[in-house]
Amino acid sequence: MTSNLKHDALIKKILTNPVAAQEFLEYYLPADFKAIVDLTKITIEKESFVEEDLRRKLSDLVFSVQTKNQDTAFVYVLIEAQATPDHWIALRLWKYILLLCERHKQKKDGLPLICPLLIYHGTKTYNAPRNLWQLFSHPEHAIRATSGIVKDERFVANWEGAKAVGIRPGAYHYFRANYTAQEQAENLIERLSKISFNPYTDVLVIDVEKKFNEEATPDQMADGTYELLKILQNTSYEHLGIYASPNYWTNDVNWRKYDFSQYLLWIAHWRVQAPLVPETWINVGWKIWQFSNKGQIPGITGNVDLDIVKDRAFLGESPVYSEIDNATGFTP
């Protein structure tokens, strides 16, 4: 037995202990999944989906938990017992999850909720594709064919609910380089038409991040972001901004190509005394600083982002400095 396989067996043995399993899942499960399940009662299912010829490289564990609606949900843990990443692991995960769905389908029109986790303990940096779409030769078409341009179905209710309790919300759109700026603008404008969004006073921010844009070049990120902002600007949206971390914006966006400083900066820089302002905005500074993603708000389960609004004059309000503010953003 190789050392990796011994390690694999040790991990499985540890995770069959209910206390260890609960601590593991509490630490590694996404916050939104943990918010809807009860991790105090975990059942280890006696089933495996890894093919016989792959069991020298992979092993798996299935945990069942109860949701707060008393439905059964599953956590599928795949353990990769090899020194280098498996390029096809995302495909294998999908296959095993579908087999788990098939075995536990609750009724004709209902499948159980499943959260997959991968344990990798190789010596090399994990660089395999992290989702199924990245395995396609043309991932942009694979995504478009199966999920289209994503809409947050809670957006309208969230917006109107915030307004109803006196919160002045803003909206943000998550930029994806694999869609054209025109497609994203049309999707965004259509969603904003469903709410009481005022293009002359309400703030609209474009979220520019690495996730879903791993394959995009710095030129593609700059070109697409700028084109999207110009389309929105030409459609009378006046309070436009960019949300980004200083590291990603500086190193992964060719920001020198355009004058992005005309758009307000919502900087995401956590656990620092003061945010690092990218050179783009060095002469104008930031308007909103997201200083933490570990905040707690009464009535909301799990962590929330915390922001400081430096100067609310751009909202047409009196300036307020160094105030922790509920600068609420919802994804259209």
Side-chain angles (χ1 to χ4, degrees), residues 21-22 25-43 63-76 106 112-115 117 301-302:
Q22 182 178 349
L25 297 178
E26 285 278 6
Y27 189 84
Y28 287 106
L29 283 175
D32 55 351
F33 187 85
K34 287 191 293 184
I36 61 173
V37 299
D38 179 7
L39 293 179
T40 62
K41 296 179 181 178
I42 301 171
T43 301
F63 299 104
S64 62
V65 293
Q66 293 296 304
T67 70
K68 293 180 179 178
N69 293 330
Q70 300 305 308
D71 293 324
T72 299
F74 296 92
V75 179
Y76 181 77
Q106 297 160 341
L113 181 64
I114 300 173
C115 181
L117 292 175
T301 302

Side-chain angles (χ1 to χ4, degrees), residues 132-134 136-148 179:
L132 182 66
W133 319 121
Q134 292 177 0
F136 285 86
S137 56
H138 295 284
E140 68 278 9
H141 297 304
I143 293 173
R144 189 173 305 161
T146 54
S147 64
Y179 294 110

Side-chain angles (χ1 to χ4, degrees), residues 151-268:
K151 294 181 174 68
D152 185 344
E153 298 304 325
R154 299 171 298 176
F155 173 60
V156 174
N158 285 344
W159 179 277
E160 299 301 346
K163 298 274 282 191
V165 296
I167 296 175
R168 183 175 182 178
Y172 71 85
H173 170 78
Y174 198 107
F175 175 79
R176 296 194 184 189
N178 57 308
Y179 294 110
T180 68
Q182 186 63 43
E183 287 175 316
Q184 295 184 73
E186 290 174 359
N187 175 53
L188 179 55
I189 292 169
E190 186 273 331
R191 294 300 285 168
L192 293 177
S193 71
K194 305 296 184 183
I195 59 170
S196 54
F197 190 93
N198 188 327
Y200 304 106
T201 58
D202 290 329
V203 176
L204 177 58
V205 175
I206 304 303
D207 187 344
V208 182
E209 297 186 45
K210 182 176 182 178
K211 188 177 181 180
F212 302 121
N213 293 310
E214 291 89 348
E215 304 302 318
T217 66
D219 276 342
Q220 288 173 327
M221 292 301 295
D223 293 344
T225 300
Y226 187 74
E227 184 180 354
L228 175 56
L229 286 163
K230 293 306 290 184
I231 293 172
L232 295 171
Q233 207 166 16
N234 293 334
T235 317
S236 299
Y237 291 93
E238 293 189 0
H239 290 287
L240 296 170
I242 294 171
Y243 170 97
S245 71
N247 182 62
Y248 184 74
W249 182 263
T250 300
N251 298 314
D252 294 278
V253 180
N254 190 358
W255 50 271
R256 297 181 186 275
K257 291 186 72 173
Y258 306 102
D259 178 19
F260 288 106
S261 66
Q262 62 186 295
Y263 306 109
L264 70 90
L265 172 62
W266 183 355
I267 190 73

